[in-house]
Structures are given as C-alpha cells and as structure tokens.
Amino acid sequence: MSEQKSAERGTFGRMGFILAAAGSAIGLGNIWKFPYIAYANDGGSFVLIYLAAILLVGAPIMLAETLIGRRTQQSPVGAFLRLAIEEKVPGGRRWGWLGGLGVFAGLAILSYYAVVAGWVVYYFLHCLRWSFQGFSGDATSLVTEFQGFLANPGLQIGFHGLFMTITVLIVILGVKAGIERTTKFLMPVLLVILLAMVLNSMRSPGFGDAISFLFHVGPIHASGVLEALGHAFFTLSLGMGAMITYGSYVSRGQSIPRAGGVICLLDTLIALMAAVVMFSIIFSVPLAERAGTFGRSSTILFTTLPRMFYDLPAGTLIAPVFYLLVAFAALTSTISLLEVVVAYFIDVREWSRRKASLVVGAIIFLAGIPSALSVGAVGKLTHFQLPGLPEGAQGFFGTVDYLATNWLLPVGGLGIALFAGWVLSSKLTREELEEGHGGRFSLFPVWRFLVRYVCPVAILWILWEVLNGRSFA
Ligand code: PHE
C-alpha cells in the first residue's frame, strides 16, 4: 500500500495502539463478567486456568490477528483475501468469509453490548442522584427498581441509543482524532480510578478474604477450564477481527510481540483489580446478608453493588465514580466493535468514514432494539427461546449473546489460528513479528507451535463441549 493511502487510513502512534487495543480488550468482560464467573467457579484455581488460557491461547491469537492486520493494512475481509492471494492458497478467496464472519460478529455483539453499556450510564446518573439526595435502597427495592428499569421500553431504547450515538461520534472522527485521542485520555483515567479503588479496598474488612478467595488453590472443575477458555476470547476481543482492524493501523516501527504482551497484561491486570475491588466489598458484608448475591449474574452490578457501596464510608463518592469507570471501559470496547464494521465498508465498499459510521451505527442501533426490549419490556422477546439452546440463553438478548460468545468468537478464533499457523508461511509471520521488534523474536517457535497446535485443539475442544450442551457463556 502506498504511503499516501496508508496516511489516509490513519496510523496509531506507539502508545496509541497499545491504549486503543487495551481499551478494546478492557470492558464489561473484565469488570462485570470476570468477577462473576470467577465467583461462580470458586475463585482460586479458576483464576489460574484463566491466566493459562490468556497465555497459551489468547496471547498467540492476539499476535496472529495484529500481524495479519499490519501486514495487509486491511480490515478482516480484505486482509484474508489479500494474504490468501499473496500466499497463493488454493481456493484462497474463500478465506474472505472468515473476515465476513468477524464483521457480522462485531455487529451482533455491539447490538446488545451497547444495551448493557446503556444500563451502566443510567446507573452512573442514578448514583449521582443517590449521592446528592441520599441513598434509600434496600435489597428488595433495588431489585424491584432494576427490574422496573429493564421493563421500561423508553429508557432501554433511549440509553442504548445514547451509547450508540457517543460511539458513532467518536468513530466518525477517525483513527487518530477519534479513537486514539479518546482512548489515550480514558485508559489512564480508568487505571488511576481503579488503582485508587484497589487502595481504598485494602482498608475494607473484606480485603483479606477477597485476596485469599482469588488466589487460593483449590480443586479444578472441568467446567471452569471451559469457561476460562471462552472468556479469554471475549475479554481480549479476539476471534472477530477487532485486533486485525486495529493492527491495520499499527506503524511498521512498532513491535507486535511487545505491544501484544502489554495489552494482554493490562487486560488481565484490570480484570484482577476489578475482582479485588468487588470481592472486598462483597466480603465486607456479613455472610447472611450476602446470600443470593451472585444468584443472577446480569443483575449484581446494578442491584447488590449499589447497596454495598453506600454501606462503605466513602460510598457516596465511590459509587458514581465506579459506574463512570465501567462506562469508560465499555466505551473503548464499543468503539472497537463499531470500527470493525465501519472499516469493512471503508476498505471494501469504499464508503467515506462519515457515511459508514452513520449508516452502520444506525443499523446496529436498530438491531439492538429487540435486545433492549427483551429484558422485560416485551414478553414475547423476553421469553423467546431457540430450540436446542440451553435455558440460560433465553430471550432475544440472551440468544444473541449466547450465539456470539459460544459460536462466532471461537469459530473465528479457530479460523484465525489455522490461517496464521497453517496457511501463512513461517517466513511471512516471522518477518511481520520481527518488523519493528529491533532484532529476532526469540519466542517465535513457541508462538508458532501454540498457534498451529495448542490453539486449534483447545478451541475445537470448546466447540465440542458446546455441541454437547455445555455453555461457557
Ligand atoms: N473485550 C471486550 C470486553 O471485555 C468485549 C469485546 C469483544 C470487544 C469482542 C470487542 C470485540 O468487554
């Protein structure tokens, strides 16, 4: 690609890429989902397996996606096509479908992700009100209140629309002025706020219990291994080409292995920090009152946590700040989800960024409406159940989430691992991973082994388990 064309597409600065990619990775998956599934799987050993999944499956695929993106300077569809042609793969054009799957996954995930992100904004405003006017909730009233909010079609669609609008406005501004500038500002703020919260939680009575819960070694359940692997994909934004797209904006002077390592580390660190903060609050509450806390995964953040926050000495300050932090984390993820779809229309259909952002944003907003209405507002959508899917995948929202997490991401990840490990030559991948690295990438043989053997086997195993009726969402 010519210098001029690549300047038109936009290129991240060195820290710009790391922060934007870390921003994509760090989201509701870290702050809401990770603590919950860690709790559901008894902490300790689950955390260890999750760390292993990040290291053995997540990190290699992170490097694979980024190298595919930078090599081709294309979003997923164009990237696979170009490389398949360059490497003269028989029937090469069919790899374009893998990119198409990613674009579709981006659209599907963003449609419901923005709904949950909208809840976070609503609770941020709600907490501001509580902080100024006094907190009046008890366990039952908070649940009723949250259910009332979920069943309110205007609020559901309104906050989903608000979040989509903010996301579109940032993506319109482009790679440097929009994505890089926003994430460069938000990510350090997020880190600082979370660090302050961790320091604060060290003084809470539940801190010791939280640490020993998270880092003790206990029996390992097979189901926990499965969940850890699935979550590694979701949390690192892998399997749908988000990192291919962001990789296409990486400059040739940047080391992909080093950047990828930092991104995986930051994502893991934030998940652990969020878990420490949440568990410190939860373990500060007497056991009897804690019962049922984690009964329903999707509601904890909005029903149990506010009450626990306002029980703390500095709760009036912490509560709104916390929701603001979660909203920031979600925003840097929704930006990347939208960018995957927008970049496809720019690269392959040659639309302008403005047109692509507005049209795609509007489509995803509309696609999210059934999800927004399926958490209580419309009975038919709320109780919708596809035959063959587990009970947990109920409602339109639950169904899209289930299919995207359990099918689209692992299948996409499998395709990417096979492509990078078996279709691309070792010469090409080594060249790209060493470009900008300033010397040999000594772990290259390890990376290649993981991508060729460990990742496909692990993913096929997940899919096999899902086919046999196991959900790891
Ligand atoms: N990684 C994000 C999170 O943890 C979610 C996400 C998935 C973002 C896939 C982009 C692509 O919340």
Side-chain angles (χ1 to χ4, degrees):
M1 174 167 295
S2 71
E3 287 283 314
Q4 190 202 347
K5 194 91 197 275
S6 125
E8 271 170 30
R9 288 192 92 240
T11 311
F12 284 132
R14 193 177 298 262
M15 276 318 279
F17 168 63
I18 293 178
L19 292 176
S24 166
I26 297 161
L28 296 170
N30 303 59
I31 300 173
W32 163 70
K33 202 168 178 181
F34 176 69
Y36 155 65
I37 55 177
Y39 192 88
N41 286 286
D42 293 331
S45 302
F46 172 85
V47 176
L48 274 183
I49 300 159
Y50 164 78
L51 294 177
I54 294 277
L55 199 69
L56 300 177
V57 180
I61 293 186
M62 170 76 71
L63 300 195
E65 286 203 24
T66 317
L67 87 84
I68 291 171
R70 183 172 71 178
R71 180 80 180 189
T72 55
Q73 307 236 316
Q74 290 274 322
S75 51
V77 177
F80 287 115
L81 285 179
R82 180 171 299 205
L83 280 172
I85 293 165
E86 194 179 324
E87 295 282 278
K88 299 197 184 57
V89 185
R93 298 191 69 80
R94 257 176 256 145
W95 283 99
W97 279 96
L98 183 55
L101 192 75
V103 173
F104 180 71
L107 197 148
I109 294 176
L110 182 51
S111 74
Y112 69 85
Y113 198 95
V115 173
V116 185
W119 300 350
V120 178
V121 175
Y122 178 83
Y123 268 76
F124 162 64
L125 298 174
H126 211 40
C127 282
L128 274 185
R129 218 185 55 213
W130 274 326
S131 292
F132 282 108
Q133 297 178 352
F135 178 70
S136 53
D138 58 45
T140 353
S141 74
L142 284 171
V143 173
T144 326
E145 204 172 323
F146 184 59
Q147 279 166 349
F149 167 62
L150 291 183
N152 183 321
L155 287 177
Q156 286 304 309
I157 296 177
F159 277 88
H160 162 56
L162 175 71
F163 213 87
M164 278 309 299
T165 307
I166 300 172
T167 308
V168 166
L169 289 178
I170 292 169
V171 171
I172 277 189
L173 290 174
V175 174
K176 258 208 129 52
I179 302 174
E180 177 166 342
R181 212 174 46 187
T182 313
T183 45
K184 252 186 164 164
F185 166 70
L186 291 186
M187 294 312 293
V189 173
L190 189 149
L191 261 173
V192 169
I193 296 178
L194 200 52
L195 201 65
M197 289 181 72
V198 171
L199 292 178
N200 184 62
S201 67
M202 289 171 104
R203 291 181 306 159
S204 74
F207 181 73
D209 285 349
I211 294 294
S212 56
F213 178 78
L214 273 171
F215 300 107
H216 75 274
V217 178
I220 297 174
H221 310 290
S223 60
V225 180
L226 223 54
E227 286 204 41
L229 267 165
H231 187 64
F233 270 103
F234 188 84
T235 190
L236 290 174
S237 308
L238 297 174
M240 41 110 12
M243 293 302 162
I244 296 182
T245 308
Y246 273 15
S248 75
Y249 308 130
V250 173
S251 81
R252 302 215 65 83
Q254 182 150 18
S255 156
I256 291 178
R258 262 195 291 275
V262 172
I263 294 159
C264 293
L265 201 72
L266 275 177
D267 184 76
T268 311
L269 216 65
I270 298 261
L272 292 176
M273 283 163 79
V276 166
V277 170
M278 293 247 210
F279 290 135
S280 297
I281 294 171
I282 286 156
F283 288 131
S284 298
V285 173
L287 193 62
E289 276 182 50
R290 222 187 293 148
T293 296
F294 277 82
R296 272 185 64 95
S297 60
S298 53
T299 64
I300 303 153
L301 197 58
F302 309 101
T303 54
T304 318
L305 270 183
R307 184 168 57 96
M308 293 180 173
F309 273 134
Y310 287 99
D311 276 347
L312 289 176
T316 35
L317 186 71
I318 297 176
V321 167
F322 178 80
Y323 287 95
L324 189 64
L325 168 127
V326 184
F328 282 171
L331 181 61
T332 49
S333 298
T334 54
I335 290 173
S336 73
L337 285 160
L338 181 60
E339 179 63 18
V340 172
V341 192
V342 164
Y344 164 75
F345 283 97
I346 297 176
D347 289 343
V348 180
R349 311 260 158 194
E350 302 195 329
W351 287 12
S352 70
R353 173 167 286 274
R354 200 185 162 76
K355 176 178 166 190
S357 311
L358 289 172
V359 173
V360 172
I363 292 173
I364 296 179
F365 166 67
L366 293 176
I369 290 180
S371 287
L373 297 179
S374 72
V375 282
V378 176
K380 269 214 168 76
L381 289 171
T382 306
H383 302 296
F384 172 77
Q385 173 96 44
L386 267 191
L389 293 197
E391 255 175 59
Q394 210 199 24
F396 191 84
F397 181 117
T399 308
V400 181
D401 180 23
Y402 178 86
L403 292 177
T405 313
N406 288 358
W407 287 99
L408 292 179
L409 295 187
V411 167
L414 175 65
I416 291 163
L418 292 176
F419 189 80
W422 296 91
V423 174
L424 297 183
S425 64
S426 138
K427 179 173 166 292
L428 184 151
T429 46
R430 182 190 273 278
E431 221 173 75
E432 200 55 46
L433 288 175
E434 289 183 349
E435 174 97 44
H437 191 66
R440 284 176 67 82
F441 172 38
S442 51
L443 289 175
F444 180 78
V446 179
W447 172 81
R448 197 161 149 85
F449 177 77
L450 292 174
V451 154
R452 274 166 84 88
Y453 302 103
V454 177
C455 299
V457 169
I459 296 163
L460 279 171
W461 174 54
I462 296 176
L463 297 181
W464 174 251
E465 294 288 335
V466 174
L467 269 179
N468 284 303
R470 281 233 17 106
S471 157
F472 55 87

